[in-house]
Amino acid sequence: MWSYLVYALALGALAAGLRALGTRVRRRGIGGTLMNPVDEIWRPTAHHFRAETAVHDQRLAPRAGADDKP
């Protein structure tokens, strides 16, 4: 009985830790470089989606004004 309880608690702690890690990675935006190769293996169109997202982000970036110094 105790072994099942310890196993369930360890599994729950592992799941909670992975969830916290996933939240932190998403919030900081650092997971893309790690998951890009895996994502492209399972979803070949992922590269096109990331390219379009980068173009969209560039369009939304504020442009420098006439009085801004380089």
Side-chain angles (χ1 to χ4, degrees):
M1 179 69 180
W2 286 104
S3 61
Y4 290 121
L5 182 61
V6 169
Y7 177 74
L9 288 175
L11 189 61
L14 179 65
L18 288 175
R19 181 179 174 144
L21 179 64
T23 302
R24 182 177 180 191
V25 165
R26 267 187 248 111
R27 186 175 50 234
R28 289 189 177 189
I30 58 176
T33 57
L34 298 173
M35 292 304 295
N36 282 345
V38 176
D39 197 23
E40 288 183 17
I41 289 171
W42 294 106
R43 193 174 48 137
T45 59
H47 173 72
H48 300 295
F49 177 72
R50 277 193 297 281
E52 288 195 21
T53 303
V55 169
H56 179 71
D57 289 342
Q58 288 175 355
R59 287 182 185 159
L60 293 179
R63 295 186 180 178
D67 59 343
D68 289 343
K69 295 181 182 180

